[in-house]
Amino acid sequence: MVTPAETKLQFKQKLTGSASEMLKKLKELHNELKSMEQDTIDTNSFSAVKKELVDTAIVNHKDKGVRIYAACCIADLLRLYAPDAPYNKTNLKTIFRLFVNELRHIATPENTYYNQHFYLLESLSVVKSIVLITDLPNADEITTDLFRNIFDDVRPQQAKNVHICMSELLEHVIMETSSLPQEIVDIILSQFLHKHKLDNPAAYRLACDLGNHCADKLQRYVFQYFSDIISTAGSGELSAKELSDFKTVHQLVVELNRAAPVLLLNVVPQLEEELKLSDVNVRSLAVSSLGQMFAEKTSQLASQYESTWKAWLLRRNDKVPSVRIIWLESLVNLIKAQPSLAKDLNEGLAERFLDSEEKVRSVACRIIGELDYETSLHHVQKDTLVQVGHRCRDKKKSVIKEAITSLSVLFNQAYPEIENGTQASLSQFAWMPSAIFHALYVLDPEIQTYVENAVYTTILPPHGTVAARAQRLIVTFAMLDDKGRTGLLSIFRRGVDSRAAMNTIMRLLKMQADAAGKPEVEAIEKKLSDFFKVFSEQFPDPVKASQLLHKYAKVHDEKFRQSITDCMDSTLPVREIRKAGKETLSRLENIAPATVELFSVIIQRICLTVLNKEVVSELIRNLGGVTENRQESGELLRSISLVYPSIFEDHLGEMISLLRDREATGASDTLHTLAGFAKQFARSLPADSQSKEVIQSFLEAGTILQATHATIVLASIKDNEDMCQEIAQTAVDRLEDTSPHLLRDLTILSQLALYTPQVFETVSESVTKFVVKTLLMTNVPEEESMYDATVDWVEASELNEYTLSKIMGLKVLVNRAIILASDQVSAQEAARPLFKLLWTLITEDGELVKEKNSSNVLKSHLRLSAARFVVKLCNMRPVYERMVSVFDFCRLALIIQDPVFRVRHGLAKRIMKYIRKKELHARHLAVLFLAAHEPELEWKKIIRDFLAQTSRGQEGGNKLMHNELTLARLIHLLANHPDFATRLPEDDATGPHEAHSINDLNLSAKYIEFYLETMANSENISLIYYIAALLKTARFSNLHEPNENLYALSDLAQYLIQEKSRSHNWTLTSHPGQVVLPRELYSLTASDVSAEISKKSYLSAGWVYAREHRGKAERKPRPAQERKIGQAAKRRSRSASVSGDDEDVSEPGTPAPARATKRAKKARTERAPETPTRRMASRVAKAKATAYRDIDSSEGEEDEEDEILESDEDN
């Protein structure tokens, strides 16, 4: 093999002379050196130049060209001599100082010698000559400068190969050094800080490359770096400076995890230890940092560090609320990035919705709204979202606000898929608007503004085409449950009321301006001020709202009047309405900025962005078509007619045209809507003959419901008495109990009685005679036999027309009495026989027929109808309330314990509705407490919640004391209750006589406990106790009523009040004021008599003993005879009682309520002028009929809905 000849350096010049001469020589030398290859050179030929190149005159030459070319030549020599350096350590130190200084110029590509600087960089990185720096003694300073300079000089705009060479250069140093200076570690890690990352992204990327490529070498340095700082956290409380550094360190950990997670091999366990430290700041930083680290999309930390993940999950239960909040705030990105962890996170999130701390619950609700649609659909459990719905009725408003906002945002995101019918979206999100509207039942003005804002901005936003907005309204309305629909309608109603109020304000302001300088201006100003005070009650802070309204009044002008009027103009397009609203708020911001917040709410309420002429026209068009939305459009129009009938004034022609087309669908909905309009705007109804004929045609050809609404419309049309007279006469002429038109005719007559009483009075005598004598007091056997004799209830939809006709006949009589209520003489004349009829139905179990052959189903419905009609007649009609005697009222109250669930349910529902609307005498509240023994627990809970809400609703310092005096009314009911009987001495032959058995007292105690549970609180307990004690100084006004029962119940109530006060740590103090007991029930006794009565205890000693030792007794099995109170009542059924036998089915030794009732009747033969024939033994019996849980839940909630939306049920 022939060895090639070695190449010798040809450059023979001396590196001296002027700068230009030296530069020329160095260029020549560099060009020759860089062309040479290591394998073919004669290194001896370099001896002269290598010595000259490290001469101080050259290395420190003032000419930068000389210096860089000298550096390049030295780099070439290092390449050619590799792996051994041709210099000693002293020379190498000088050389690397030159290299470090010259590499600074790589940051300026525009400099003359940029190519040479890059050549130097590339040579050092490719040849790895830079590693020689690690062998130098005390080279830390030069090495640190190298790192610092490169990180300072790297720029995003530099060529990629420059970045690569820089990265490789530093990697070589890191990998070859035996000990990396701490300052270099600091330089590298500082690049990961957020500020540096933004200031120089290229330096950040360079640091990332070093972290990932040199992880094995850097891990221990990174661990030591964090260990030194983190270890100080466990030594005690951190100073402000230490805390600041500590936060920086944790930010760095997060960034490292994002860019070079392999560096944190030993750091993550340190963070886990921080989770357990007592310092709140440390735990907070650890929770936040780990939350961000787990949330990285590519992160595997949760699986790699399972113990750390579990420890972090436990911080959701941290004792400090701020830590729990930080944990929650980490979930949004975590669920999005790591769906596989969603199960663990859902469990923790669901727990925090029930957190004891308001801020924690608020944050939990807020983060749900920060999730995107896909995440909330696929990775958040529905149960978790439902918890947010529950928070819409939280005790704290901040929580409610966040819950409402989050649900509305999620619903808005999901709406496109909901509209398309995507089943997953419907299941996950369709319930959300209902949950939002349920918040309205909290009855707080501030919460109402939250819901309104969600409706007008997110749930039903004012965007898109008319068809799209109408479609969204229909789809949303169709998804709402009954309470949700009522809530939405209440918002529409509030809008109607607010528009009416603003119109009044505009009118008064104009009158004020016109009367300026005139005497009447003061009266107008007072009227305006009074109206502001009333209007302000709709807002969260009424006092502040009133002040702001006065402020607005000072700047009001014609321009404001016009823009506000445009907001309320239903004929304008939505675009113009929104523009008017924005202009109003914009002007206010400039003129009276303090009023903007209030007027933002007002403008939102009065602007017709959801319901306007465009949308209503679209809904009516849907009625006449065959679209899938026809039914929903009809339901929506009917509902709108209840709260905003005036909006249909511009659409009457459209609806009449729709009715003319007999083939068109939607006639029922159209007539219903027209009827709703007619009730309030009768004068605006079309009175032309063609329109009336179209409507009249539904009386015969339409359904019963259509005939009802058609009658209302026809009876409301101005000057239409002749047609109504003809309709009434036709109906009367064919009144027969076997007529196929009977139900229709009675329905028509019932509406005529309400809307054209002058016409109805011409036929009232005939109608009344037929209803009472022919319809109600006789039966058609064939019709009665249609029902199963063992069944005592079927739903109204399953009743035959004959049964419905009997109920409708009663309604005709009641409607007539309602209209006559304004005339006391006529009212009493009409109501006296009607009340007698109703009391007979109540007393006789719904039976009027002499032959006693009415079906159980008919009797149940008639019994319920009679009770409800009594309550309806008393509704805001004092003349009829006074006609209900104390004895009659007791009979009515017992219906609340009817054996048929739907009967007691129906009466309680009606009473609650009227009480909510404050339309019923206070005595009716006591009736609801008889539900204490209600066997259907869900229904009992609804009544309990209603009573509790009623108690909270009584204003503090209410002088009427309705809730407290209800105890006196309840005790009167209980004293006369069939299940509370006074025992005679001969009944106690085997022992000492006690007037009331233990079972009787236990039975009554439950009623009083139910009262205390719902009505008593620490503030009124003393007053309640005073009333209970005051009863022992009184007697019943009716001499035939059992005073001994009264005193026993008074003692019982006092005992239970004391017991409850002890259990709740309430203090019983003497009541300073005076209380007047209901005069119709009680009279005061003489002082000496009352003193004697007060000294005596009427409670059974056995009962007191049993009560005081009931804890022990409850732990022992009770004898069979004590397991139920009133076993005879429990076993009684409606079908078994038809025979009228009073068989004693009580167990031996148990005094059955039935037997007690008989004894009570024997002892009190003079008690009342009329003795009920209906058996009263089953007042606490569980009904055999349909259970509450099997009934549509909306019926149980209807009463609560009435509180926020009053519906006209009288018709």
Side-chain angles (χ1 to χ4, degrees):
M1 180 178 179
V2 180
T3 303
E6 292 182 339
T7 304
K8 293 185 179 183
L9 179 66
Q10 300 301 314
F11 183 81
K12 302 297 182 181
Q13 303 178 57
K14 291 288 184 179
L15 297 177
T16 57
S18 64
S20 59
E21 290 174 345
M22 291 180 66
L23 181 59
K24 182 178 179 182
K25 293 175 183 177
L26 286 169
K27 285 182 180 179
E28 181 181 345
L29 174 60
H30 171 56
N31 289 333
E32 184 177 356
L33 287 174
K34 73 178 180 180
S35 64
M36 300 178 75
E37 296 294 335
Q38 185 182 35
D39 296 337
T40 60
I41 60 169
D42 179 5
T43 55
N44 293 326
S45 62
F46 299 148
S47 57
V49 296
K50 74 177 182 180
K51 184 176 180 181
E52 289 182 89
L53 285 172
V54 295
D55 188 86
T56 305
I58 294 177
V59 172
N60 296 324
H61 200 283
K62 63 180 180 179
D63 187 276
K64 56 186 177 181
V66 172
R67 292 197 307 274
I68 184 59
Y69 270 102
C72 290
C73 291
I74 294 173
D76 287 333
L77 289 176
L78 293 176
R79 173 176 62 84
L80 295 172
Y81 275 91
D84 299 318
Y87 297 105
N88 59 33
K89 294 188 182 298
T90 302
N91 289 337
L92 283 174
K93 196 168 187 178
T94 301
I95 289 170
F96 280 106
R97 172 57 63 187
L98 172 66
F99 287 167
V100 169
N101 290 337
E102 290 306 311
L103 286 176
R104 291 298 311 269
H105 300 291
I106 198 71
T108 54
E110 64 277 6
N111 82 76
T112 307
Y113 302 105
Y114 177 78
N115 290 335
Q116 284 67 42
H117 288 104
F118 174 71
Y119 180 86
L120 174 62
L121 173 67
E122 185 178 36
S123 176
L124 291 175
S125 63
V126 172
V127 180
K128 299 184 181 181
S129 310
I130 193 66
V131 299
L132 295 172
I133 200 173
T134 63
D135 297 330
L136 297 177
N138 303 317
D140 287 357
E141 181 183 352
I142 298 176
T143 309
T144 301
D145 287 343
L146 173 66
F147 275 81
R148 182 184 299 108
N149 292 347
I150 287 183
F151 275 108
D152 287 344
D153 296 338
V154 66
R155 296 287 184 274
Q157 61 270 26
Q158 290 169 337
K160 186 175 182 180
N161 55 348
V162 174
H163 292 162
I164 292 173
C165 290
M166 286 180 169
S167 177
E168 291 178 348
L169 181 75
L170 298 184
E171 286 176 25
H172 298 328
V173 175
I174 292 172
M175 297 305 293
E176 291 297 326
T177 186
S178 59
S179 177
L180 199 63
Q182 183 61 45
E183 192 172 352
I184 291 178
V185 176
D186 293 346
I187 292 170
I188 296 173
L189 293 181
S190 67
Q191 309 308 316
F192 293 95
L193 294 175
H194 189 66
K195 182 179 182 302
H196 291 179
K197 178 180 175 182
L198 295 178
D199 291 344
N200 192 353
Y204 169 74
R205 286 194 295 272
L206 176 59
C208 291
D209 290 341
L210 294 180
N212 287 300
H213 297 160
C214 306
D216 292 342
K217 199 68 182 278
L218 289 176
Q219 278 175 357
R220 67 186 180 94
Y221 296 106
V222 172
F223 168 72
Q224 189 62 45
Y225 174 84
F226 288 116
S227 180
D228 292 343
I229 298 176
I230 291 176
S231 62
T232 62
S235 60
E237 188 173 346
L238 298 174
S239 66
K241 175 66 168 59
E242 289 173 331
L243 181 60
S244 177
D245 293 341
F246 209 59
K247 289 180 179 178
T248 302
V249 167
H250 283 77
Q251 292 170 5
L252 188 54
V253 172
V254 172
E255 290 296 336
L256 277 175
N257 179 71
R258 186 173 293 126
V262 290
L263 293 178
L264 301 176
L265 179 64
N266 299 311
V267 175
V268 174
Q270 285 185 304
L271 294 178
E272 181 180 342
E273 289 303 313
E274 286 185 346
L275 295 173
K276 306 170 186 177
L277 296 179
S278 59
D279 191 295
V280 175
N281 293 318
V282 175
R283 289 206 313 280
S284 298
L285 286 171
V287 171
S288 176
S289 300
L290 283 170
Q292 295 176 68
M293 293 163 68
F294 287 131
E296 287 299 317
K297 282 192 175 182
T298 58
S299 174
Q300 299 295 322
L301 277 181
S303 56
Q304 292 172 348
Y305 301 91
E306 188 175 348
S307 65
T308 305
W309 170 247
K310 290 180 178 179
W312 184 82
L313 285 176
L314 290 176
R315 286 305 96 204
R316 67 180 186 263
N317 298 320
D318 195 283
K319 64 182 179 181
V320 179
S322 62
V323 179
R324 302 199 296 273
I325 289 174
I326 292 171
W327 186 88
L328 284 169
E329 289 173 335
S330 304
L331 299 191
V332 176
N333 293 328
L334 190 47
I335 294 175
K336 289 180 182 178
Q338 301 286 347
S340 61
L341 304 176
K343 182 179 179 182
D344 291 342
L345 299 175
N346 272 276
E347 292 175 0
L349 178 57
E351 293 172 4
R352 299 282 61 81
F353 289 120
L354 303 175
D355 197 284
S356 60
E357 181 64 32
E358 169 189 351
K359 291 181 180 179
V360 178
R361 299 197 305 277
S362 180
V363 171
C365 293
R366 173 171 57 80
I367 65 170
I368 288 294
E370 296 173 4
L371 298 172
D372 57 69
Y373 167 72
E374 292 295 334
T375 302
S376 54
L377 174 64
H378 298 295
H379 307 307
V380 179
Q381 296 170 0
K382 184 178 178 180
D383 289 345
T384 302
L385 297 178
V386 169
Q387 286 290 336
V388 185
H390 294 331
R391 292 308 96 211
C392 287
R393 298 188 72 168
D394 196 273
K395 293 181 180 179
K396 300 296 183 179
K397 294 177 185 176
S398 63
V399 181
I400 295 174
K401 183 178 181 180
E402 294 295 350
I404 290 172
T405 302
S406 292
L407 290 184
S408 63
V409 167
L410 288 180
F411 176 77
N412 187 48
Q413 293 174 354
Y415 176 75
E417 293 301 319
I418 291 174
E419 184 182 9
N420 291 335
T422 305
Q423 194 56 45
S425 295
L426 286 169
S427 173
Q428 191 84 337
F429 304 105
W431 56 270
M432 290 181 174
S434 292
I436 292 172
F437 289 125
H438 290 179
L440 292 171
Y441 295 87
V442 179
L443 301 176
D444 184 281
E446 187 173 348
I447 294 171
Q448 289 170 353
T449 62
Y450 300 157
V451 178
E452 288 169 349
N453 186 62
V455 170
Y456 292 123
T457 61
T458 316
I459 298 176
L460 299 171
H463 310 303
T465 64
V466 176
R469 284 187 284 113
Q471 173 72 3
R472 181 153 182 161
L473 178 58
I474 293 168
V475 170
T476 304
F477 184 79
M479 292 184 303
L480 297 176
D481 59 19
D482 287 345
K483 290 180 70 173
R485 290 187 178 189
T486 306
L488 176 60
L489 294 177
S490 74
I491 289 178
F492 293 159
R493 168 70 63 81
R494 196 169 296 113
V496 173
D497 294 342
S498 297
R499 284 187 284 277
M502 288 306 293
N503 280 324
T504 301
I505 291 172
M506 297 297 107
R507 178 173 54 80
L508 290 173
L509 288 172
K510 187 175 187 309
M511 290 171 60
Q512 184 186 42
D514 294 343
K518 298 179 182 178
E520 59 267 26
V521 71
E522 290 186 10
I524 295 173
E525 288 176 351
K526 184 179 185 309
K527 195 172 183 180
L528 184 63
S529 180
D530 292 342
F531 189 81
F532 281 164
K533 187 175 181 180
V534 174
F535 184 48
S536 298
E537 294 298 325
Q538 301 181 17
F539 302 99
D541 188 343
V543 175
K544 182 181 178 182
S546 181
Q547 293 171 350
L548 293 175
L549 287 170
H550 279 95
K551 220 172 240 188
Y552 167 77
K554 295 177 181 178
V555 300
H556 175 78
D557 57 20
E558 179 60 26
K559 195 168 183 180
F560 272 127
R561 188 199 67 77
Q562 186 58 53
S563 62
I564 290 176
T565 302
D566 288 345
C567 291
M568 302 184 288
D569 190 346
S570 66
T571 64
L572 289 177
V574 168
R575 182 182 65 259
E576 296 297 326
I577 293 174
R578 292 182 65 200
K579 181 181 177 183
K582 288 179 180 178
E583 287 178 356
T584 302
L585 294 176
S586 178
R587 286 196 68 213
L588 282 174
E589 195 164 4
N590 295 326
I591 300 172
T595 65
V596 171
E597 183 179 358
L598 172 66
F599 270 80
S600 296
V601 176
I602 294 174
I603 294 299
Q604 195 173 62
R605 285 181 181 174
I606 67 175
C607 278
L608 288 161
T609 55
V610 176
L611 280 182
N612 49 47
K613 184 177 181 179
E614 298 173 329
V615 171
V616 172
S617 293
E618 190 72 22
L619 295 176
I620 293 174
R621 276 195 292 273
N622 285 345
L623 276 184
V626 291
T627 64
E628 58 182 5
N629 296 324
R630 190 205 64 75
Q631 183 177 350
E632 289 79 5
S633 297
E635 292 177 7
L636 183 55
L637 284 171
R638 293 199 308 270
S639 300
I640 293 171
S641 70
L642 295 175
V643 297
Y644 192 12
S646 61
I647 199 171
F648 295 102
E649 188 167 3
D650 297 325
H651 304 277
L652 297 176
E654 298 174 54
M655 289 190 282
I656 296 296
S657 297
L658 190 61
L659 292 175
R660 285 196 182 100
D661 184 2
R662 304 300 298 179
E663 300 298 323
T665 56
S668 294
D669 297 323
T670 305
L671 281 169
H672 195 148
T673 304
L674 271 176
F677 179 83
K679 291 173 186 177
Q680 295 191 40
F681 303 96
R683 292 183 176 274
S684 300
L685 288 170
D688 60 283
S689 58
Q690 288 186 343
S691 297
K692 290 193 288 187
E693 288 174 4
V694 169
I695 297 170
Q696 187 180 10
S697 66
F698 286 93
L699 297 182
E700 298 295 333
T703 63
I704 300 297
L705 191 60
Q706 289 173 345
T708 301
H709 296 138
T711 305
I712 294 172
V713 176
L714 291 172
S716 302
I717 294 175
K718 185 180 178 182
D719 300 328
N720 199 34
E721 287 80 3
D722 292 341
M723 176 179 281
C724 291
Q725 184 68 57
E726 180 184 343
I727 293 169
Q729 195 59 53
T730 301
V732 171
D733 289 345
R734 56 189 192 190
L735 282 180
E736 294 181 8
D737 57 357
T738 57
S739 169
H741 306 287
L742 181 58
L743 179 58
R744 181 185 301 274
D745 290 336
L746 289 172
T747 300
I748 292 170
L749 289 169
S750 72
Q751 300 310 312
L752 291 176
L754 279 176
Y755 294 99
T756 57
Q758 68 279 9
V759 171
F760 181 79
E761 283 305 307
T762 63
V763 297
S764 63
E765 186 176 349
S766 300
V767 174
T768 302
K769 182 178 179 181
F770 169 78
V771 169
V772 176
K773 300 295 184 182
T774 305
L775 183 60
L776 293 176
M777 303 192 74
T778 62
N779 280 332
V780 177
E782 296 81 10
E783 298 287 351
E784 286 300 307
S785 62
M786 292 184 63
Y787 300 111
D788 186 342
T790 63
V791 175
D792 48 20
W793 184 269
V794 298
E795 298 305 314
S797 59
E798 301 174 25
L799 294 175
N800 59 29
E801 286 201 2
Y802 180 71
T803 302
L804 291 171
S805 297
K806 287 190 176 248
I807 298 172
M808 187 58 68
L810 268 180
K811 187 172 184 178
V812 172
L813 304 182
V814 171
N815 282 357
R816 177 172 180 259
I818 287 172
I819 293 300
L820 295 175
S822 57
D823 183 345
Q824 187 163 343
V825 176
S826 300
Q828 290 184 347
E829 183 181 342
R832 194 171 290 110
L834 174 59
F835 270 124
K836 183 178 180 180
L837 182 69
L838 296 176
W839 295 129
T840 303
L841 284 170
I842 290 172
T843 304
E844 299 295 334
D845 281 357
E847 182 65 272
L848 280 179
V849 180
K850 184 179 180 181
E851 293 77 11
K852 308 292 183 185
N853 60 355
S854 298
S855 67
N856 292 332
V857 171
L858 174 61
K859 289 191 291 184
S860 294
H861 277 278
L862 286 178
R863 197 164 62 249
L864 171 61
S865 297
R868 290 179 61 149
F869 284 145
V870 168
V871 176
K872 187 173 185 178
L873 287 169
C874 295
N875 178 30
M876 296 191 72
R877 299 178 183 91
V879 63
Y880 295 143
E881 183 71 52
R882 288 191 294 269
M883 294 178 70
V884 178
S885 68
V886 172
F887 174 70
D888 290 333
F889 186 77
C890 290
R891 291 193 288 180
L892 173 67
L894 290 175
I895 296 294
I896 213 76
Q897 293 182 328
D898 194 276
V900 180
F901 169 72
R902 290 307 302 272
V903 175
R904 57 185 190 270
H905 168 270
L907 176 60
K909 190 170 70 167
R910 178 60 59 90
I911 291 175
M912 288 192 290
K913 172 187 173 181
Y914 290 155
I915 289 177
R916 267 203 174 95
K917 295 161 69 174
K918 297 179 173 59
E919 295 177 352
L920 210 54
H921 191 279
R923 64 173 171 171
H924 292 269
L925 183 63
V927 175
L928 297 175
F929 292 101
L930 297 186
H933 288 283
E934 171 59 50
E936 296 298 339
L937 298 183
E938 294 180 50
W939 176 235
K940 180 180 177 181
K941 182 180 182 301
I942 288 177
I943 296 178
R944 180 194 296 116
D945 292 345
F946 167 80
L947 292 170
Q949 188 179 59
T950 301
S951 175
R952 292 192 298 268
Q954 178 174 284
E955 297 179 3
N958 189 332
K959 295 181 180 179
L960 297 177
M961 299 181 289
H962 287 318
N963 294 341
E964 292 76 16
L965 282 174
T966 296
L967 176 63
R969 299 185 184 279
L970 173 61
I971 285 179
H972 176 268
L973 290 176
L974 298 180
N976 291 279
H977 196 286
D979 285 343
F980 192 68
T982 303
R983 301 197 297 175
L984 301 178
E986 55 267 28
D987 295 327
D988 294 299
T990 58
H993 169 64
E994 291 183 337
H996 302 94
S997 71
I998 293 177
N999 281 341
D1000 283 352
L1001 291 171
N1002 282 335
L1003 191 66
S1004 297
K1006 192 165 185 179
Y1007 296 112
I1008 298 174
E1009 287 173 334
F1010 191 48
Y1011 169 85
L1012 294 174
E1013 177 187 354
T1014 54
M1015 291 287 165
N1017 55 61
S1018 59
E1019 296 178 359
N1020 70 356
I1021 191 67
S1022 295
L1023 175 57
I1024 293 174
Y1025 184 76
Y1026 177 78
I1027 292 172
L1030 186 62
L1031 293 175
K1032 288 192 76 172
T1033 67
R1035 62 174 176 81
F1036 286 130
S1037 297
N1038 186 342
L1039 298 177
H1040 302 296
E1041 292 181 327
N1043 287 319
E1044 193 163 333
N1045 285 5
L1046 167 63
Y1047 304 141
L1049 290 168
S1050 172
D1051 281 344
L1052 178 63
Q1054 292 178 67
Y1055 183 95
L1056 294 173
I1057 292 168
Q1058 291 173 339
E1059 185 179 77
K1060 188 173 184 70
S1061 298
R1062 286 194 299 269
S1063 66
H1064 287 73
N1065 292 321
W1066 293 343
T1067 303
L1068 287 175
T1069 59
S1070 59
H1071 181 68
Q1074 290 186 343
V1075 176
V1076 179
L1077 296 173
R1079 291 188 177 89
E1080 73 277 14
L1081 302 180
Y1082 300 102
S1083 300
L1084 293 179
T1085 60
S1087 58
D1088 56 337
V1089 175
S1090 63
E1092 187 67 26
I1093 293 171
S1094 298
K1095 292 178 183 178
K1096 180 181 178 182
S1097 174
Y1098 289 80
L1099 283 182
S1100 160
W1103 181 87
V1104 174
Y1105 179 84
R1107 185 79 178 182
E1108 291 175 352
H1109 295 79
R1110 69 186 185 279
K1112 296 178 181 178
E1114 285 169 359
R1115 288 191 290 269
K1116 297 178 182 180
R1118 291 183 298 167
Q1121 63 268 25
E1122 294 180 6
R1123 288 176 190 160
K1124 289 291 181 180
I1125 299 173
Q1127 290 294 326
K1130 183 71 178 176
R1131 286 193 281 270
R1132 177 185 179 270
S1133 69
R1134 172 65 46 196
S1135 58
S1137 66
V1138 174
S1139 64
D1141 294 332
D1142 282 325
E1143 181 183 359
D1144 182 5
V1145 292
S1146 300
E1147 294 181 352
T1150 303
R1155 287 186 290 154
T1157 302
K1158 290 181 183 180
R1159 289 194 296 271
K1161 288 181 180 179
K1162 178 180 178 182
R1164 302 193 300 267
T1165 55
E1166 300 297 327
R1167 173 182 171 184
E1170 180 181 354
T1171 302
T1173 58
R1174 183 179 176 206
R1175 292 180 61 193
M1176 301 297 185
S1178 59
R1179 296 303 173 186
V1180 297
K1182 186 171 182 178
K1184 289 179 62 181
T1186 307
Y1188 172 77
R1189 59 182 173 272
D1190 298 323
I1191 298 171
D1192 184 1
S1193 61
S1194 64
E1195 299 196 25
E1197 298 167 341
E1198 179 182 316
D1199 297 293
E1200 189 176 7
E1201 297 159 19
D1202 291 327
E1203 187 165 358
I1204 62 169
L1205 175 66
E1206 298 175 3
S1207 59
D1208 183 5
E1209 277 197 6
D1210 287 343
N1211 304 318

